Amino acid sequence: MGDNHGSRKAAAPTPAQVADAVAFRPGDLLADRDTRDTSTAPGDREATEAATSALVEELAQLQEALYAEGVGGGHRSVLLLLQGMDTSGKDGTVRRVVGAMNPAGVRIVSFKKPTPEELQHDFLWRIDKQLPQAGEVVVFNRSQYEDVLVVRVHNLVPEAEWSTRYDTINEFERRVVDTGVHLVKVMLHISKAEQKQRLAERLEDPTKHWKYNVGDLKERAFWDDYQAAYQDALTRCSTTSAPWYVVPGDRKWYRDWVVANLLVDALRDMAPRYPAADFDVAEQRRAVAALE
Ligand code: AMP
Ligand code: MG
């Protein structure tokens, strides 16, 4: 302590270390996760935002390589799945962490209350249709997990039906991962007090009224039921091939830092490669030099 006083900065953790710190393992309790935690931040808010910017830039480069790899015949892709209570920051995370990537290779899919057509099919039907193509980065804003969250909380189908869905989801995800999709499942974890704060803020700003949903107050009354449903989904569907991450969400700048790390960790791990030219580069160089 004494001699280092004020002079030494802790080294920033690696993306793999950040991922490890927020991984949810079967046996973990959601209630033990501090929504205000900032323990992997490389510094104060300002320093963390700067570090996040650097990661987001790296992400854009990695994503371009993944996209190129797909064009060149590669089959790999990334699926970032976002879940969280209302106002937990799913849209903000997309804007700030995914926003710098090349839109040509990125697709954002929001899952709402199922349409009559969707309800005529198995709950995974609409999900399956939106899985990433080769080289794509797809973000799911809500997902198949709604079918064991809102559906369970409001008994939209009988328990006998939703209770089998955890295993169905695990099998589905294993198949998805086996086809080359790197799946990153994130729960943005906010406190009930923070939700109140965000709802109040939306009312204070006329440019945020469009985001305010009167129905969110009704859902808030089921807070504890949702937490229990999340606990079960996290416990039963955190698998080796598709683990869950619980990201502290009360501080937006920390949330962005963590999610950026999760994506950088995934993409560094994949190490996407630009495809080699499928033509004779030297010959083409000569041909271009000879152009009028
Ligand atoms: P938002 O994400 O704020 O646009 O809200 C979408 C709403 O659709 C949320 O209230 C979700 O709970 C709801 N929703 C999404 N998927 C389902 C589903 N499978 N069954 C019922 N409600 C759903
Ligand atoms: Mg909403």
Side-chain angles (χ1 to χ4, degrees):
M1 283 253 233
D3 357 351
N4 300 337
H5 181 75
S7 62
R8 201 185 283 177
K9 255 205 210 147
T14 63
Q17 287 170 329
V18 175
D20 191 59
V22 297
F24 193 92
R25 297 171 181 86
D28 287 356
L29 286 179
L30 182 59
D32 287 345
R33 298 299 183 104
D34 180 4
T35 57
R36 302 187 67 77
D37 176 51
T38 59
S39 56
T40 73
D44 60 9
R45 174 180 176 160
E46 204 179 336
T48 303
E49 284 174 344
T52 302
S53 295
L55 285 175
V56 164
E57 228 167 272
E58 181 181 348
L59 265 183
Q61 285 168 14
L62 285 162
Q63 179 250 338
E64 191 193 61
L66 181 70
Y67 185 64
E69 185 187 276
V71 170
H75 62 282
R76 299 186 300 169
S77 60
V78 171
L79 175 56
L80 172 65
L81 183 158
L82 296 177
Q83 282 288 161
M85 299 294 285
D86 293 318
T87 76
S88 60
K90 299 184 286 294
D91 293 304
T93 302
V94 170
R95 197 168 53 244
R96 301 214 280 189
V97 180
V98 183
M101 295 185 189
N102 181 352
V106 177
R107 197 154 45 86
I108 317 298
V109 186
S110 297
F111 291 101
K112 310 284 185 187
K113 199 165 157 288
T115 63
E117 191 197 13
E118 286 169 348
L119 282 175
Q120 283 180 355
H121 296 83
D122 176 72
F123 77 103
L124 291 174
W125 181 72
R126 65 176 184 163
I127 308 293
D128 196 65
K129 285 201 295 184
Q130 301 288 356
L131 290 173
Q133 305 287 309
E136 257 190 327
V137 173
V138 170
V139 182
F140 280 1
N141 183 331
R142 304 187 189 271
S143 66
Q144 61 269 26
Y145 286 94
E146 290 294 319
D147 288 278
V148 290
L149 293 167
V150 63
V151 167
R152 163 175 160 163
V153 167
H154 293 295
N155 302 302
L156 301 182
V157 304
E159 175 166 0
E161 195 172 334
W162 60 252
S163 63
T164 64
R165 288 180 173 172
Y166 301 97
D167 291 339
T168 308
I169 288 173
N170 286 340
E171 277 166 40
F172 171 75
E173 290 180 358
R174 193 177 328 116
R175 186 167 59 71
V176 167
V177 169
D178 282 348
T179 64
V181 179
H182 197 125
L183 177 53
V184 182
K185 301 190 294 190
V186 170
M187 181 209 179
L188 301 178
H189 187 32
I190 57 165
S191 66
K192 201 174 179 185
E194 179 67 19
Q195 188 191 57
K196 178 180 176 179
Q197 176 73 22
R198 290 184 185 180
L199 288 169
E201 275 165 21
R202 286 180 182 184
L203 289 175
E204 288 320 304
D205 181 352
T207 70
K208 288 191 175 161
H209 286 175
W210 65 278
K211 287 198 205 179
Y212 188 86
N213 191 336
V214 175
D216 288 356
L217 298 196
K218 201 182 101 232
E219 288 314 301
R220 181 180 165 85
F222 293 91
W223 186 274
D224 293 343
D225 294 342
Y226 271 106
Q227 298 299 307
Y230 268 106
Q231 172 69 50
D232 279 357
L234 294 166
T235 301
R236 298 196 56 184
C237 300
S238 225
T239 59
T240 329
S241 50
W244 267 106
Y245 298 99
V246 173
V247 173
D250 281 3
R251 292 182 170 93
K252 294 173 183 172
W253 55 270
Y254 187 70
R255 170 201 77 201
D256 293 342
W257 155 258
V258 174
V259 177
N261 271 281
L262 291 175
L263 284 176
V264 167
D265 184 46
L267 274 153
R268 276 191 195 165
D269 195 48
M270 293 170 82
R273 275 191 302 272
Y274 284 96
D278 58 359
F279 51 83
D280 185 330
V281 177
E283 187 182 305
Q284 289 302 307
R285 241 187 233 128
R286 284 192 296 275
V288 169
L291 292 174
E292 279 184 37

